[in-house]
Amino acid sequence: MLDQPLDQPLAKVERLRVEFETRDGTVVGVEDVSFDIKPGETVCIVGESGSGKSVSSLSLMRLVEFGGGHIAGGRLLFDRREGGVVDLAQADTNLMRHIRGNEIGMIFQEPMTALNPVFTVGRQLTEGLRLHMGMTRAEAEARAVELLRQVRIPEPERRLKQYPHELSGGMRQRVVIAMAMACEPRLLIADEPTTALDVTIQAEILALMNRLKRETGTAVMFITHDMAVVAQMADRVVVMYRGRKVEEGPVEEIFANPRHDYTKALLAAVPKLGEMRGRPDPEPMRLLGVEDQDLRPIRGTDEPLLQVRGLVTRFPVKGGFFRRTIANVHAVEDVSFTLNKGQTLSLVGESGCGKSSAGRSILRLVEPLAGEIDLDGLDIMKLDADGLREARRNMQMIFQDPFASLNPQMQLVDQVAEPLRNYGIASGSEITDRVAHLFDRVELPRSFLRRYPHELSGGQRQRVAIARALALNPKLIVADESVSALDVSVQAQVLNLMMELQAELGLSFLFISHDMAVVERVSHHVGVMYLGRIVEMGPRQAVFENPRHPYTQALMKAVPIADPHRRKSEKDLNFKPIPSPIHPLDYEPAPSEYEEVEPGHFVLTTDSGY
Amino acid sequence: MTDKERFVPDEGLAPASTVLPAAGELDEFTKPPRSQWANVWDQFKTHKGALWGGILFLLIVVTVFLGPYVWTIDPTHIDIRARNQGPSLAHPFGTDQLGRDMLARMMAGGRTSVSVGIAAMLLALGLGSLIGVMAGFFKRLDGPLMRLTDLFLALPLLPLLLVMMMLFREPLNATFGPEQGIFILIVCAIGITSWMPTARIVRGDVLALKEREFVLAARSMGTTNTKMILRHILPNVLSPIMVSATLGIATAIITESALSFLGLGFPPDFPTWGRLLFDATDYLQQYPERVFWPGMAISLTVLSVNYLGDGLRDALDPRIRGR
Amino acid sequence: GRGTDGEVKILYWQAPSILNPYLSGGTKDVESASMIIEPLARYDEKGNMVPFLAQEIPTLENGGVSEDLTTITWKLKPGLKWSDGTPVTSEDVKFTADYCMHPEGGCAQLSFFDGVEKVETLDELTVKVTFDQPKPNPYGPFVGGQSPIIQKKQFENCMGAKAPECTEANFNPIGTGPFKVVEFKPNDVITMEANPNYRDPDKPAFAKVTFKGGGDATAAGRAVLETGEFDYAWNLQLAPDVIANMEKGGKGKAIAGFGPLVERLEMNLTDPSPSLPEGERSTRKHPHPFLSDKRVRQALSMAIDRELLVEIGYGKAGKVTCDLVPAPEIYAAKNDYCLKQDIDGANKLLDEAGYKDTNGDGIRETPDGKPLKILYQTSTNAVRQDFQALIKEWWRQIGVDTELRNINASVFFGGDPGSPDTFQKFYADVQMYANTFNGTDPQQYLAAYRCGNEPKPESQWQGENINRYCDPEYDKLIDELARTGDINKRAEIAIKMNNMLTKDSYTIVPLVHRGRVSAHSNTLGGVVLNVWDSELWNVADWYRIK
Amino acid sequence: MLTFTIRRLVLAVPTLIFISLVIFLLLQLAPGDPMAQVPLTVPPEVKEKMREALGLGQPLHIQYWKWLVQFFWIEPQVLIDHYLGTSFSQGDLRVISWQTRSPVMDIVIQRIPQTLWVVGTAYVVGILIALPIGIYSAYRQYSWFDQAGTFVSMVGFSVPPFFSGVLVIVIFSVHLGWFPSIYDTTHVVDDWDSFVYQLRQMIMPVMVLALQITAQISRFMRASMLDNLNQDYVRTARAKGLGEYTVVMVHVLRNSMIPVVTVIALGVPSIFGGAIITEQVFKVNGIGQLLIGAIQANDLPMVQTLTFIFAVLIVLFNLIADVLYGLLDPRIRYD
Ligand SMILES: Nc1ncnc2c1ncn2[C@@H]1O[C@H](COP(=O)(O)OP(=O)(O)OP(=O)(O)O)[C@@H](O)[C@H]1O
Ligand SMILES: Nc1ncnc2c1ncn2[C@@H]1O[C@H](COP(=O)(O)OP(=O)(O)OP(=O)(O)O)[C@@H](O)[C@H]1O
Ligand SMILES: [Mg+2]
Ligand SMILES: [Mg+2]
Ligand code: NI
């Protein structure tokens, strides 16, 4: 494979400039971006959201044009297998069509939407093969099976006949990868291939790509905003900021010795697993460029605020002729924990393990089947509709997606004032006053009061959501994946804000996340969930430094570490797919029993299904 | 209603895709804040068809409602000597078989047609939105209300109209006078037989909306059902409703003309575009201009309103407007 | 010779639904059936009776009608055959009467058998009809398109309640007419072919008939006059200039004929005010506040320009008339009191009668202050609506305010006692429609205006005295007419009655003597428009002009 | 899917019975009288007799029950008899029309061919024209083609058929003499010439109807295509190097057809329901003309039966649309 001299770049982007014609005039997507990719090399492009990463990659495929952009300047040199170097910026559509999928493959960000929902996996996989390689249907199918096997999809023959929605997110992403690899392209562009995935699946996919690259010698252009992923994957790194390249260099160099301020800030904002080793209490993160930060640890109290005992939540699965309940989704199964005043309890676990359901059950936004919920002496389960409404004054929730959780048609001031109005706490100008103070509190300028959600950045929106949750002065805030959708730098700011508020107001957080590094940073206590149960629970330090349950241990292993020297290989990972939480009506789950391995550190002894 | 029901998934309903945050451009945040309607207007302005449609529609409405103050001939004035005349200075649109001035009749007819269009649309929209929102929001009402929709789809308009005429004409005449009475009747007839598509669309949107996180968020803040619907649901289904609205005006105008064709429309001394057009089709060959004016007026109105709807949809859709 | 001229295509914009006229009174059904089944005698285009299945018309002179006017004896032509080849006998004639007079049959033509006591067969070819009282006009049963002879064999099992079950017979009656049914698609089209057993071996000239129904008068006129797709179009109720323009197409011509059909205004002599309790509106309990005054009615009539109405609405198909019975000739009063429009005279009349506009709103008030506001209703129909607009305008000029209302014809003429909108209920001050009578004798027609014959709640709003007219003098004349046999005497009485209703009292304000306009193509010969019987009465004589 | 379908079908029965009751009551309430067609010369007593013979005097619940039995019990037997030559329905009274005194179902069956020929063809033609227009309009959004397509479809939408129908008659029948203005329902297609004649007589009503159908469906198609053209999977398809034709006509089209197909399915009942005005204008005398005629003549059994059949079709095609949705979109699985 490596028959060319290594220093001859495979693709070379020179002074690329992409413009978009919008109603507000011309928008420049990227400007003056140059970098190159050599055969067999992985170049990572990092940068925050909107910095132009996708636009650069789409330009290389000449796909920007379909999104309304055009390449306004620069050259996109690509060394074709035969036929020498061509400038893709000038290539005609036929040539581009030949290159796409055949010589350059691309993996897209969203596995959920990148596949056509109405065609079988097999059809979508073989399409490119039949087009570019001129294979017959049978040959293409044989090759497709081989490809699926390469990306380690079990039972590949059966998968070919399935539709995308019948596969899990991880499997879908593998199909997308297989599709991009189908014609053995020499350059593979991967645009945030793992952002939407769970840690465990992410780890697998990253390992898979590394292996494929090794085996086929394909050059990879890897786009991400996650520095930990960069550390796992990259040979070289290109850092982008606001449409421009700000720094470029070998991965070790970038991590060890960042030059540009932005790179430095980016690295500083990344929470690294193990950073908090030896420190029992959470501490705000040190952010670059922010003066006089208060970085004192947050102690909280040992006085219990929320006590949950034996919480069970099930969702009925209807079916049969009369639409009766034929089975249940056991979303939360016998969960018990205690959250102290002024402290944070985190729930971690894979997607679908029941974290959100647990959080919502506590506010009775979904109705739990059984269990006790005691909030500061008040038995939540016993309340009627009015009592519950009243009780929700003391417990609020921040949702995962800051955009989805704000009404797009309402001004921010009204959204934040809504709880105040609902409970008749304030009226008239007092409301505006209070809302303004809340904005101050979450460090949003008051000029934003009259804006609409879409006029804010993700981080700002999440602040609005926090302000809204704070409006009622609750004692408990359930933060459901509140920072998962944010850029690292913004995520760090929001995390700091939350911790700051906790320190000042004595708030208690039930923090739900799948990001182990973030959890390590913010929690006093941690509960690891698997298939509806808490499999391990205890002080954060105990759980992170001494994980006892096999699932916890596997989870820890899967977390990518933002250190290029500690790369993981596929062999380290060992994940079984999560068994189905759907059980027939007569299924009686065993009660959760715990063994106290250390003081306050419990490990589930009941069979958890792992 | 309890909170519990909300989480029973509806059959066949794909969860609403969450809108991912748009790429953040910092300078965007320094722009001064604008009101929602200013945004809508901005968006609207850029849609050429919509803008022209809007202007044209406005022009039609103005002509039809204010025109009679300028062109003061009485549309029912019969000048039998001047019948069946072509366009002239005295009668720019000519006269009809009884010598009534066509321009005045066009304006009078337009007043009725446009009012019927708007009023019937409002009624259909009100009913459709109400039933759509109810069916979408309260799972328990969904089945019955959708069956009701089936029922209305199956109901024949004509007998219904006759029944309504019989039951309500006298009382309406007594309270509103004969012209208003029949107007209300026809508006109601068209309204209650055309709300079904709106109801279905709104229901679909509400079902999707109900799964959105901001609804859950509002509930966790103690928002009651009524407020939920008023604050969160309705504003967000506004854009499909607006589109139905513009389509509704057009269909109402056309339905009214079809009713005239079947002899169930307005009384004869109550010109509407539909009736004028229908009356004129007999004279299609002798006096083609008689067909031309009402035909043109109906087409132009429908056309302008449709373009208006297109523009409004773009303008009201926050996903488009937000970018 | 028979069947040599190919196909003739007839277009009725109202489609026939059944070919048994005894089960449907509709003109379309009667006329379409008249090509297949025939009566003993018909009226010709002048209103004279001509024998069809009968050998001759029975009269007093030839002894066919008994001296006491209680029996009539018909003789069939010998050798007549049904289209299935079986002979026509007097049994069939008798059966026809039994069929229609069956109490459960709901026979639509029962009125033709009014007063029939019994029908007997004297021999194979002779039938005798006996009436329960003297009948000056004994030509009700078996005369005219409405009471044709049906075959006993075919309808034997279809008597009474079973009548509707005999779909095959009702759709395909065996007859003696020039054509027989090949296929009948109800409310759509009838295909017919020449009857091989028709009594005249040379007729009909056409081998095939397509009788299409549906659409509207405009389209029918167009198909005959402009595109030439059809040969004959029935009843073109169209504005005269529209017809004139169509004739320019050059494919055919419009023909008009005049029967006794009169478009008239009916004045409500009782109070229709909605403020009255239900059951008392438009009843004789409450006289009309101002229309019960003859001078008001007269003024309303004087304000109307009938010439113009004819010109605008009917053209060739209309004549100005001041009579309720404008035809036949002998019964026509030929009044001319209303021919000239006289707005000033009308104004003067009202002024004199004390109806003055006291409050200056342009509308006169009755002496006790009630404004002269008139609700003027009619059925939905383009010409009637034009009339309404014109008359409203004229009445405005005499200080009368008019509210117009048009009602769907099926409701207006429906007679549903539950509906407030029927012409019988007459919940309006003035209404307009046309009416006529069958045959040439107006006795029954005029008898309708008998005291007590008005629609009222007690009679489920049935009754023909729509105006709620009541004059004992008039009632006496009705009885007299029923007793009188002499034709000239009868005419005299009838004219008197006509004048009482129109000229003397303005209870009925005749507007237009309406004819019927039909159109036939230039290549269709033998068409004689007949308004006294079925239009298709002589279809056997039609031929193709080559 | 099967249980879903069956469950919906079973649930449809009470709905339909209820609908039939509502229609029945509505018609009973409606003013008007089957005797309206009878000339004024027929005296009221005779009319009363005729009314009685029609069974009008009976109490409502008996009339309704009679109709139910006739429609749901006797008519199906007649159908079975017709096909199997049995004689279950011997002597039972069927639903009889008041106008024609013949079984309603026979007339309905008689009317179906011409309705299907004209309205059905128009529907098919309309769809066949609409789909390409919709697709291309969306693909080239805001191009002149799109603008023109939008304009034409809106004009088509806004011109009432009683006007466009008469207009084409005047142009093509009267002035040019190309096509007959009156539809011949007795015409039998048995050779090439008669087929050509059938085409000629169909062309105008089909044109008028298809214009409206095209207008609506092409708008749907365009909107649906626009929704899908910006989806991620389209980008994926392009990234595979597929040609534009394949991308649009295979990947995008298949997805955008899903809602359009259901819209099309929902429109099918209206084919059987006929197009009242167009049928009237061209004298097609299909189901629509039958209904309007029956309404005008106050032929209650006919109106009741027709509207009920229509209701059945609506409910049925609603179900079919749902099932189609499930079949076309693999993501949706009922039960
Ligand atoms: N179709 C478009 N029309 C207008 N502007 C666009 C379009 N696509 C991208 N842009 C702009 O180009 C810039 C770069 O966008 P790009 O999608 O490359 O960001 P990104 O780095 O991939 O972000 P993310 O991490 O969120 O995917 C942004 O400012 C964006 O607003
Ligand atoms: N409304 C619902 N109806 C039926 N099942 C549900 C519902 N909500 C959640 N579930 C199921 O309950 C289980 C737990 O879901 P939950 O949302 O609590 O997981 P999670 O841990 O929050 O996952 P994620 O990280 O993806 O948010 C899943 O199997 C899910 O499919
Ligand atoms: Mg991107
Ligand atoms: Mg969750
Ligand atoms: Ni409830």
Side-chain angles (χ1 to χ4, degrees), chain D:
Chain D
M1 196 67 152
L2 191 67
T3 47
F4 167 81
T5 316
I6 295 173
R7 198 171 58 88
R8 280 279 300 263
L9 275 176
V10 170
L11 274 180
V13 172
T15 314
L16 282 172
I17 301 238
F18 180 67
I19 290 181
S20 78
L21 180 66
V22 171
I23 297 175
F24 182 80
L25 292 178
L26 186 74
L27 292 175
Q28 290 294 331
L29 266 177
D33 185 280
M35 294 300 116
Q37 306 263 304
V38 176
L40 294 181
T41 46
V42 175
E45 318 80 78
V46 175
K47 285 190 189 169
E48 198 49 48
K49 277 253 164 67
M50 293 171 73
R51 234 175 247 132
E52 263 164 40
L54 293 178
L56 258 110
Q58 287 169 341
L60 281 192
H61 60 274
I62 295 193
Q63 288 190 35
Y64 179 59
W65 177 247
K66 227 171 89 182
W67 180 83
L68 271 188
V69 170
Q70 287 170 347
F71 189 85
F72 286 102
W73 183 239
I74 299 176
E75 290 295 340
Q77 289 180 5
V78 173
L79 197 73
I80 293 171
D81 289 354
H82 181 79
Y83 283 109
L84 304 180
T86 47
S87 53
F88 292 117
S89 60
Q90 201 79 58
D92 291 327
L93 204 59
R94 301 175 60 186
V95 188
I96 300 278
S97 149
W98 287 348
Q99 275 180 97
T100 67
R101 308 301 183 89
S102 70
V104 166
M105 289 313 272
D106 291 357
I107 306 179
V108 172
I109 286 166
Q110 208 170 59
R111 292 300 175 98
I112 284 178
Q114 51 254 42
T115 305
L116 286 190
W117 264 111
V118 173
V119 191
T121 314
Y123 204 66
V124 172
V125 169
I127 290 166
L128 288 183
I129 301 176
L131 296 187
I133 292 183
I135 294 169
Y136 198 73
S137 290
Y139 187 65
R140 292 254 172 270
Q141 197 187 4
Y142 300 131
S143 66
W144 71 263
F145 182 91
D146 182 27
Q147 308 281 9
T150 307
F151 184 80
V152 169
S153 60
M154 283 184 184
V155 168
F157 182 73
S158 68
V159 180
F162 64 77
F163 170 59
S164 49
V166 173
L167 190 70
V168 293
I169 286 184
V170 166
I171 295 177
F172 294 108
S173 298
V174 176
H175 287 289
L176 298 174
W178 289 354
F179 311 119
S181 71
I182 289 176
Y183 188 92
D184 180 1
T185 43
T186 56
H187 183 74
V188 185
V189 178
D190 48 12
D191 57 8
W192 176 249
D193 283 348
S194 61
F195 179 70
V196 170
Y197 181 81
Q198 176 66 15
L199 280 188
R200 290 206 309 135
Q201 70 170 351
M202 270 168 55
I203 214 159
M204 288 197 302
V206 166
M207 239 160 55
V208 166
L209 275 177
L211 180 68
Q212 291 184 309
I213 294 160
T214 306
Q216 285 172 20
I217 304 266
S218 71
R219 302 305 294 164
F220 271 114
M221 190 70 218
R222 177 177 179 271
S224 176
M225 285 292 287
L226 282 178
D227 276 354
N228 278 286
L229 271 169
N230 292 323
Q231 297 285 326
D232 284 357
Y233 69 79
V234 183
R235 207 171 51 183
T236 312
R238 287 199 176 110
K240 272 189 273 188
L242 301 181
E244 278 304 292
Y245 182 83
T246 326
V247 170
V248 176
M249 295 308 283
V250 178
H251 284 262
V252 184
L253 186 63
R254 177 76 174 268
N255 279 281
S256 8
M257 279 309 284
I258 294 170
V260 176
V261 163
T262 61
V263 165
I264 291 176
L266 287 177
V268 172
S270 68
I271 300 179
F272 292 94
I276 293 184
I277 293 184
T278 311
E279 285 188 0
Q280 184 117 327
V281 168
F282 292 96
K283 271 73 65 186
V284 176
N285 294 353
I287 302 269
Q289 190 265 356
L290 188 64
L291 178 66
I292 184 82
I295 287 174
Q296 273 162 0
N298 283 288
D299 185 354
L300 294 201
M302 178 77 87
V303 179
Q304 167 87 17
T305 307
L306 277 177
T307 41
F308 184 69
I309 293 177
F310 199 54
V312 171
L313 287 173
I314 286 178
V315 172
L316 192 71
F317 275 88
N318 262 319
L319 171 63
I320 291 181
D322 282 353
V323 171
L324 267 182
Y325 209 107
L327 285 178
L328 288 173
D329 191 342
R331 283 165 297 186
I332 292 176
R333 283 279 171 269
Y334 300 106
D335 47 46

Side-chain angles (χ1 to χ4, degrees), chain A residues 198 315-316 329-332 349-358 360 366 400 480-481 512 514 581, chain B residues 6-9:
Chain A
D198 262 352
F315 298 105
V329 182
H330 291 235
V332 180
E350 270 170 280
S351 179
C353 68
K355 308 181 296 289
S356 299
S357 302
R360 289 173 186 191
V366 300
Q400 168 164 17
D480 187 355
E481 314 254 12
I512 296 173
H514 62 248
Chain B
R6 289 202 53 262
F7 282 86
V8 184

Side-chain angles (χ1 to χ4, degrees), chain C residues 301-313:
Chain C
S301 170
M302 286 163 76
I304 295 171
D305 181 351
R306 289 173 175 77
E307 301 266 7
L308 189 62
L309 290 183
V310 168
E311 186 183 334
I312 282 178

Side-chain angles (χ1 to χ4, degrees), chain A residues 312-455:
Chain A
V312 178
T313 302
R314 290 175 193 163
F315 298 105
V317 177
K318 302 251 166 144
F321 193 74
F322 293 104
R323 312 284 311 150
R324 273 203 286 252
T325 309
I326 49 165
N328 279 317
V329 182
H330 291 235
V332 180
E333 200 48 68
D334 195 4
V335 162
S336 313
F337 57 82
T338 304
L339 169 60
N340 293 335
K341 284 185 180 156
Q343 291 199 337
T344 301
L345 171 77
S346 293
L347 292 179
V348 288
E350 270 170 280
S351 179
C353 68
K355 308 181 296 289
S356 299
S357 302
R360 289 173 186 191
S361 300
I362 289 166
L363 268 77
R364 278 182 61 196
L365 285 172
V366 300
E367 208 57 51
L369 191 75
E372 291 164 33
I373 304 165
D374 180 294
L375 180 76
D376 216 6
L378 186 68
D379 187 348
I380 301 287
M381 290 296 283
K382 295 251 155 51
L383 297 174
D384 60 4
D386 285 337
L388 185 61
R389 210 171 87 91
E390 210 44 49
R392 282 186 188 150
R393 274 180 176 219
N394 287 325
M395 39 185 196
Q396 284 291 302
M397 191 148 181
I398 307 171
F399 290 88
Q400 168 164 17
D401 185 334
F403 194 59
S405 62
L406 292 174
N407 184 340
Q409 302 272 2
M410 253 166 109
Q411 288 184 346
L412 299 180
V413 57
D414 293 325
Q415 308 222 31
V416 176
E418 188 171 7
L420 298 175
R421 293 212 173 94
N422 281 342
Y423 290 98
I425 290 176
S427 60
S429 63
E430 201 193 336
I431 289 197
T432 334
D433 267 12
R434 287 183 77 143
V435 174
H437 278 114
L438 286 167
F439 267 57
D440 295 348
R441 182 74 267 194
V442 296
E443 289 165 17
L444 284 173
R446 289 190 176 193
S447 63
F448 279 23
L449 282 173
R450 301 250 155 243
R451 285 195 172 187
Y452 287 87
H454 69 260
E455 295 172 316

Side-chain angles (χ1 to χ4, degrees), chain A residues 228-266:
Chain A
V229 173
V230 174
Q232 293 294 311
M233 298 293 294
D235 294 326
R236 264 181 325 123
V237 180
V238 172
V239 184
M240 290 192 63
Y241 180 60
R242 300 240 210 138
R244 290 166 187 276
K245 181 179 87 174
V246 292
E247 188 163 355
E248 181 182 354
V251 61
E252 286 91 354
E253 182 71 21
I254 293 279
F255 272 82
N257 197 3
R259 300 270 168 71
H260 195 273
D261 285 347
Y262 174 69
T263 321
K264 287 182 195 159
L266 197 61

